[in-house]
Amino acid sequence: MGEAAGEPDFVPLDHSEIEQSEMLSRANSLYSQMKSRRTTRHFSSRKVPKKLIELAIKTASTAPSGAHLQPWTFVAISDYSLKTKIRQAAEEEERRFYEERIPEAWQEVLAPLGTDHVKDHITDAPWLVVLFRHSQRRRSNGEMSPTYYSQESCGIAAGIFISAIHNMGLVTLTHTPSPMGFLREILERPEHENAMLLMPVGYPAEDAKVPNLTRKSFEEVSEFKEG
Ligand code: IYR
């Protein structure tokens, strides 16, 4: 016998309408704020209060998710010896990637970014936030069953996290060591949780640099079919 399904339960939407001119002004100000976001690999070791990291995680966790299962755990690390352990494991994997596994077409697009296996940011940044995606959930009867659209859900949550960090005047980097199974082991997460992103968070180093990139034009990224 299956578990009894919950009945729908609805409450009124909390929404207050904004005047059109104010809408445009808010839309413009968010755009200009987000346009200035950049990913840097150069972090200062200056301390960042735990409260700010907590708020970024709370904000990220407002993301919509498949069947509202919220299939994520954010593990925030400031412990230096743990960061060192993670850096060593990440660099070991990355060395193999850059020296042995990297396909030529991938090398072509990474070259302008100047990345290599050395991951100073993991120990430089005051906080490391690792996003784990839950591939399964535990039902109330104790059985494990799948989550739904967990990649999409966690991708959205990560986007909101990155926006929250930028909004508070800090920087982050969406680092994806590959493979990243070692993070589950080091951080002692359960089998059904898969590390998805490793995000150092902090102030940029005083001499922080970013690749000289431009973004695709609006025309390149959009198409309208108006009625
Ligand atoms: N995971 C490696 C390689 C890498 C891959 C992509 I796609 C990037 O945008 C940047 C790096 C690394 O972190 O160095």
Side-chain angles (χ1 to χ4, degrees):
M1 274 285 281
E3 260 182 303
E7 289 294 314
D9 182 20
F10 282 80
V11 292
L13 173 68
D14 182 10
H15 176 259
S16 17
E17 193 165 318
I18 302 166
E19 233 188 274
Q20 285 236 343
S21 60
E22 172 66 8
M23 278 173 137
L24 189 60
S25 130
R26 288 198 199 188
N28 266 315
S29 82
L30 182 62
Y31 173 47
S32 89
Q33 158 80 344
M34 291 310 295
K35 222 171 32 167
S36 69
R37 188 204 58 78
R38 289 299 310 259
T39 296
T40 184
R41 291 172 187 274
H42 306 137
F43 288 79
S44 152
S45 56
R46 203 168 140 196
K47 292 234 181 320
V48 164
K50 179 180 175 190
K51 185 73 202 164
L52 291 174
I53 304 300
E54 274 178 23
L55 279 163
I57 295 172
K58 283 183 179 174
T59 306
S61 203
T62 65
S65 61
H68 190 53
L69 293 177
Q70 303 174 91
W72 46 69
T73 302
F74 293 83
V75 179
I77 305 144
S78 65
D79 181 280
Y80 194 77
S81 65
L82 202 47
K83 288 194 285 189
T84 306
K85 209 166 160 186
I86 291 173
R87 176 173 173 182
Q88 277 166 355
E91 287 184 337
E92 221 171 276
E93 294 292 1
E94 295 286 11
R95 185 189 289 281
R96 274 196 290 275
F97 172 76
Y98 284 98
E99 288 177 4
E100 297 162 24
R101 299 199 314 265
I102 188 166
E104 193 269 325
W106 199 341
Q107 199 162 26
E108 178 188 45
V109 286
L110 277 191
L113 305 181
T115 57
D116 60 21
H117 73 278
V118 181
K119 301 302 179 192
D120 298 316
H121 52 258
I122 299 180
T123 45
D124 287 348
W127 288 98
L128 262 192
V129 177
V130 182
L131 170 53
F132 283 87
R133 176 182 65 84
H134 301 189
S135 58
Q136 295 196 300
R137 68 168 177 122
R138 191 174 294 284
R139 301 180 74 185
S140 52
N141 64 6
E143 273 174 24
M144 295 305 284
S145 68
T147 55
Y148 310 101
Y149 303 101
S150 61
Q151 299 275 6
E152 291 82 349
S153 306
C154 289
I156 297 167
I160 298 179
F161 180 83
I162 294 162
S163 307
I165 292 297
H166 178 63
N167 181 58
M168 58 180 76
L170 296 173
V171 293
T172 185
L173 157 69
T174 43
H175 178 198
T176 50
S178 121
M180 36 184 144
F182 67 88
L183 287 167
R184 183 199 292 135
E185 265 167 56
I186 295 178
L187 298 172
E188 301 175 310
R189 299 307 303 170
E191 195 64 27
H192 66 279
E193 292 189 13
N194 302 302
M196 187 173 152
L197 286 172
L198 186 130
M199 296 175 283
V201 178
Y203 290 92
E206 276 188 18
D207 58 349
K209 299 225 172 0
V210 292
N212 186 12
L213 304 175
T214 53
R215 294 191 167 112
K216 285 185 178 177
S217 70
F218 174 66
E219 289 68 30
E220 285 174 286
V221 300
S222 63
E223 185 178 332
F224 283 62
K225 299 196 186 292
E226 292 176 273

